[in-house]
Every structure is written in structure tokens, then in C-alpha cells.
Short mmCIF file of all heavy atoms in Angstrom, two decimals:
data_model
loop_
_atom_site.label_atom_id
_atom_site.label_comp_id
_atom_site.label_asym_id
_atom_site.label_seq_id
_atom_site.Cartn_x
_atom_site.Cartn_y
_atom_site.Cartn_z
N PRO A 198 122.94 92.99 43.87
CA PRO A 198 123.60 93.00 45.19
C PRO A 198 123.88 91.55 45.70
O PRO A 198 122.97 90.74 45.67
CB PRO A 198 122.68 93.76 46.09
CG PRO A 198 121.83 94.59 45.13
CD PRO A 198 121.69 93.77 43.94
N GLY A 199 125.17 91.35 46.14
CA GLY A 199 125.56 90.09 46.61
C GLY A 199 126.39 89.32 45.57
O GLY A 199 127.06 88.27 45.90
N LEU A 200 126.42 89.84 44.32
CA LEU A 200 127.35 89.23 43.29
C LEU A 200 128.52 89.97 43.20
O LEU A 200 128.58 91.25 42.97
CB LEU A 200 126.55 89.19 41.97
CG LEU A 200 127.32 88.59 40.79
CD1 LEU A 200 127.58 87.07 41.04
CD2 LEU A 200 126.61 88.78 39.43
N THR A 201 129.72 89.30 43.17
CA THR A 201 131.01 89.94 42.88
C THR A 201 131.57 89.25 41.67
O THR A 201 131.49 88.05 41.40
CB THR A 201 131.95 89.64 44.02
OG1 THR A 201 131.40 90.14 45.26
CG2 THR A 201 133.25 90.35 43.86
N LEU A 202 132.09 90.21 40.85
CA LEU A 202 132.54 89.75 39.44
C LEU A 202 134.07 89.86 39.37
O LEU A 202 134.71 90.84 39.67
CB LEU A 202 131.94 90.64 38.35
CG LEU A 202 132.19 90.35 36.91
CD1 LEU A 202 131.80 89.01 36.46
CD2 LEU A 202 131.59 91.47 36.05
N ALA A 203 134.69 88.74 38.90
CA ALA A 203 136.12 88.74 38.70
C ALA A 203 136.30 88.09 37.24
O ALA A 203 136.32 86.80 37.09
CB ALA A 203 136.85 87.95 39.73
N THR A 204 136.38 88.90 36.26
CA THR A 204 136.50 88.35 34.87
C THR A 204 137.18 89.27 33.95
O THR A 204 137.66 90.28 34.38
CB THR A 204 134.97 88.12 34.32
OG1 THR A 204 135.06 87.24 33.19
CG2 THR A 204 134.34 89.42 33.95
N GLY A 205 137.39 88.88 32.67
CA GLY A 205 138.06 89.74 31.71
C GLY A 205 139.59 89.81 31.97
O GLY A 205 140.19 90.84 31.83
N MET A 206 140.16 88.68 32.33
CA MET A 206 141.59 88.70 32.66
C MET A 206 142.48 89.02 31.43
O MET A 206 143.68 89.25 31.56
CB MET A 206 142.07 87.38 33.22
CG MET A 206 141.34 87.05 34.55
SD MET A 206 141.68 88.24 35.94
CE MET A 206 140.02 88.54 36.50
N SER A 207 141.84 89.03 30.20
CA SER A 207 142.48 89.46 28.97
C SER A 207 143.87 88.88 28.68
O SER A 207 144.75 89.45 28.16
CB SER A 207 142.73 91.02 29.09
OG SER A 207 141.43 91.67 29.27
N GLY A 208 143.94 87.55 28.95
CA GLY A 208 145.18 86.85 28.71
C GLY A 208 146.28 86.99 29.71
O GLY A 208 147.33 86.44 29.53
N HIS A 209 145.98 87.64 30.83
CA HIS A 209 146.93 87.84 31.87
C HIS A 209 146.61 87.12 33.15
O HIS A 209 147.22 87.39 34.19
CB HIS A 209 147.05 89.33 32.17
CG HIS A 209 147.21 90.29 31.02
ND1 HIS A 209 146.70 91.59 30.96
CD2 HIS A 209 147.70 90.00 29.75
CE1 HIS A 209 146.97 92.09 29.78
NE2 HIS A 209 147.52 91.19 29.08
N GLY A 210 145.58 86.18 33.07
CA GLY A 210 145.02 85.73 34.34
C GLY A 210 145.77 84.66 35.06
O GLY A 210 145.71 84.60 36.33
N PHE A 211 146.56 83.89 34.37
CA PHE A 211 147.26 82.80 35.08
C PHE A 211 148.25 83.27 36.13
O PHE A 211 148.16 82.86 37.27
CB PHE A 211 148.00 81.86 34.06
CG PHE A 211 148.77 80.73 34.67
CD1 PHE A 211 148.12 79.71 35.22
CD2 PHE A 211 150.13 80.65 34.58
CE1 PHE A 211 148.75 78.65 35.77
CE2 PHE A 211 150.86 79.67 35.11
CZ PHE A 211 150.14 78.56 35.74
N GLY A 212 149.11 84.15 35.84
CA GLY A 212 150.10 84.72 36.69
C GLY A 212 149.50 85.48 37.84
O GLY A 212 149.96 85.29 39.03
N ILE A 213 148.53 86.30 37.58
CA ILE A 213 147.98 87.26 38.55
C ILE A 213 146.83 86.64 39.34
O ILE A 213 146.38 87.13 40.30
CB ILE A 213 147.54 88.52 37.87
CG1 ILE A 213 147.40 89.64 38.92
CG2 ILE A 213 146.23 88.37 37.06
CD1 ILE A 213 147.11 91.06 38.30
N GLY A 214 146.38 85.40 38.77
CA GLY A 214 145.19 84.73 39.38
C GLY A 214 145.14 84.63 40.87
O GLY A 214 144.13 85.01 41.49
N PRO A 215 146.21 84.19 41.46
CA PRO A 215 146.17 84.11 42.93
C PRO A 215 145.91 85.35 43.73
O PRO A 215 145.24 85.50 44.61
CB PRO A 215 147.56 83.49 43.31
CG PRO A 215 147.96 82.69 42.12
CD PRO A 215 147.48 83.52 40.93
N GLY A 216 146.54 86.48 43.22
CA GLY A 216 146.35 87.78 43.78
C GLY A 216 144.96 88.30 43.56
O GLY A 216 144.31 88.82 44.48
N VAL A 217 144.39 88.00 42.41
CA VAL A 217 143.01 88.42 42.08
C VAL A 217 142.03 87.66 42.99
O VAL A 217 141.09 88.20 43.48
CB VAL A 217 142.69 88.22 40.63
CG1 VAL A 217 141.23 88.38 40.38
CG2 VAL A 217 143.44 89.16 39.71
N GLY A 218 142.33 86.38 43.15
CA GLY A 218 141.49 85.51 44.13
C GLY A 218 141.51 86.11 45.48
O GLY A 218 140.47 86.20 46.22
N ARG A 219 142.65 86.51 46.02
CA ARG A 219 142.79 87.08 47.28
C ARG A 219 142.04 88.36 47.45
O ARG A 219 141.30 88.65 48.39
CB ARG A 219 144.23 87.20 47.74
CG ARG A 219 144.44 87.85 49.12
CD ARG A 219 145.87 87.70 49.53
NE ARG A 219 146.19 86.29 49.95
CZ ARG A 219 147.37 85.85 50.35
NH1 ARG A 219 148.38 86.67 50.41
NH2 ARG A 219 147.51 84.57 50.67
N VAL A 220 142.13 89.27 46.43
CA VAL A 220 141.46 90.54 46.39
C VAL A 220 139.92 90.33 46.37
O VAL A 220 139.14 90.98 47.04
CB VAL A 220 141.96 91.41 45.28
CG1 VAL A 220 141.05 92.57 45.11
CG2 VAL A 220 143.38 91.87 45.48
N THR A 221 139.55 89.41 45.51
CA THR A 221 138.14 89.17 45.38
C THR A 221 137.50 88.55 46.71
O THR A 221 136.34 88.90 47.09
CB THR A 221 137.85 88.07 44.28
OG1 THR A 221 138.39 88.63 43.00
CG2 THR A 221 136.41 87.82 44.05
N ALA A 222 138.28 87.66 47.34
CA ALA A 222 137.76 87.19 48.66
C ALA A 222 137.61 88.31 49.69
O ALA A 222 136.71 88.33 50.51
CB ALA A 222 138.78 86.17 49.11
N ARG A 223 138.48 89.24 49.71
CA ARG A 223 138.47 90.37 50.59
C ARG A 223 137.18 91.22 50.29
O ARG A 223 136.50 91.57 51.22
CB ARG A 223 139.63 91.24 50.50
CG ARG A 223 140.92 90.62 51.04
CD ARG A 223 142.17 91.42 50.65
NE ARG A 223 143.45 90.88 51.20
CZ ARG A 223 144.61 91.08 50.68
NH1 ARG A 223 144.76 91.86 49.67
NH2 ARG A 223 145.70 90.52 51.23
N LEU A 224 136.90 91.39 49.03
CA LEU A 224 135.63 92.10 48.61
C LEU A 224 134.42 91.36 49.17
O LEU A 224 133.42 91.94 49.74
CB LEU A 224 135.54 92.32 47.08
CG LEU A 224 136.49 93.23 46.50
CD1 LEU A 224 136.39 93.23 44.92
CD2 LEU A 224 136.30 94.70 46.97
N VAL A 225 134.36 90.07 48.96
CA VAL A 225 133.27 89.28 49.45
C VAL A 225 133.01 89.36 50.88
O VAL A 225 131.94 89.40 51.40
CB VAL A 225 133.37 87.75 48.95
CG1 VAL A 225 132.37 86.92 49.53
CG2 VAL A 225 133.33 87.73 47.39
N ALA A 226 134.17 89.25 51.63
CA ALA A 226 134.14 89.28 53.07
C ALA A 226 133.88 90.72 53.69
O ALA A 226 133.84 90.87 54.84
CB ALA A 226 135.48 88.76 53.63
N GLY A 227 133.78 91.74 52.78
CA GLY A 227 133.56 93.09 53.25
C GLY A 227 134.79 93.72 53.87
O GLY A 227 134.68 94.74 54.61
N GLU A 228 136.00 93.25 53.49
CA GLU A 228 137.20 93.75 54.00
C GLU A 228 137.83 94.78 53.05
O GLU A 228 137.40 94.95 51.85
CB GLU A 228 138.19 92.62 54.16
CG GLU A 228 137.73 91.55 55.21
CD GLU A 228 138.63 90.36 55.17
OE1 GLU A 228 139.64 90.32 54.40
OE2 GLU A 228 138.37 89.42 55.97
N ASP A 229 138.76 95.50 53.51
CA ASP A 229 139.58 96.39 52.69
C ASP A 229 140.36 95.57 51.69
O ASP A 229 141.10 94.70 52.05
CB ASP A 229 140.58 97.17 53.59
CG ASP A 229 141.39 98.21 52.85
OD1 ASP A 229 141.39 98.15 51.54
OD2 ASP A 229 142.06 99.01 53.42
N PRO A 230 140.22 95.86 50.37
CA PRO A 230 140.86 95.06 49.38
C PRO A 230 142.44 95.26 49.46
O PRO A 230 143.17 94.47 48.82
CB PRO A 230 140.39 95.50 48.03
CG PRO A 230 139.78 96.82 48.27
CD PRO A 230 139.30 96.77 49.72
N GLN A 231 142.84 96.30 50.06
CA GLN A 231 144.28 96.68 50.30
C GLN A 231 144.90 97.19 48.99
O GLN A 231 146.16 97.37 49.02
CB GLN A 231 145.04 95.47 50.91
CG GLN A 231 144.56 95.09 52.29
CD GLN A 231 145.29 93.99 52.84
OE1 GLN A 231 146.47 93.77 52.54
NE2 GLN A 231 144.70 93.25 53.79
N TYR A 232 144.20 97.34 47.99
CA TYR A 232 144.69 98.00 46.70
C TYR A 232 143.71 98.91 46.26
O TYR A 232 142.44 98.75 46.37
CB TYR A 232 145.03 96.89 45.66
CG TYR A 232 146.05 95.92 46.10
CD1 TYR A 232 145.65 94.59 46.44
CD2 TYR A 232 147.41 96.22 46.20
CE1 TYR A 232 146.61 93.63 46.87
CE2 TYR A 232 148.33 95.34 46.67
CZ TYR A 232 148.00 94.03 47.08
OH TYR A 232 148.91 93.13 47.42
N ASP A 233 144.13 99.87 45.34
CA ASP A 233 143.23 100.74 44.64
C ASP A 233 142.58 99.93 43.46
O ASP A 233 143.38 99.68 42.54
CB ASP A 233 143.93 101.99 44.21
CG ASP A 233 143.03 103.04 43.54
OD1 ASP A 233 141.87 102.69 43.37
OD2 ASP A 233 143.50 104.11 43.04
N LEU A 234 141.37 99.74 43.51
CA LEU A 234 140.68 98.89 42.37
C LEU A 234 139.92 99.83 41.52
O LEU A 234 139.08 99.31 40.66
CB LEU A 234 139.72 97.91 43.10
CG LEU A 234 140.41 96.89 44.07
CD1 LEU A 234 139.34 95.80 44.47
CD2 LEU A 234 141.56 96.19 43.36
N THR A 235 140.17 101.12 41.51
CA THR A 235 139.39 101.98 40.61
C THR A 235 139.51 101.62 39.18
O THR A 235 138.62 101.65 38.43
CB THR A 235 140.00 103.43 40.73
OG1 THR A 235 139.84 103.84 42.13
CG2 THR A 235 139.22 104.42 39.90
#
């Protein structure tokens, strides 16, 4: 608890990286990620 994981970009990380960073920050801050992360 307290650890958030953002890894395994599988060769797709450069382009989507800013969006993943924003979503990850929302998770850390306890906010709605605004996307279905299932």
C-alpha cells in the first residue's frame, strides 16, 4: 500500500507516456483517473 506501478509499456511508451503520467498522477492523488483502467 502506497506504491503505484506504471510499467510494461511494451514498446508503446514514448507516444503514450505523457497520458500515462497524467493518469498515474491522478491515481497517486486519489482522484478519478477519468478512464477505465480495468
Side-chain angles (χ1 to χ4, degrees):
L200 179 65
T201 303
L202 181 62
T204 196
M206 297 298 131
S207 302
H209 311 152
F211 179 66
I213 200 174
V217 172
R219 180 165 286 177
V220 169
T221 304
R223 289 168 181 158
L224 289 176
V225 171
E228 300 171 358
D229 181 350
Q231 299 183 23
Y232 300 107
D233 181 359
L234 301 183
T235 303

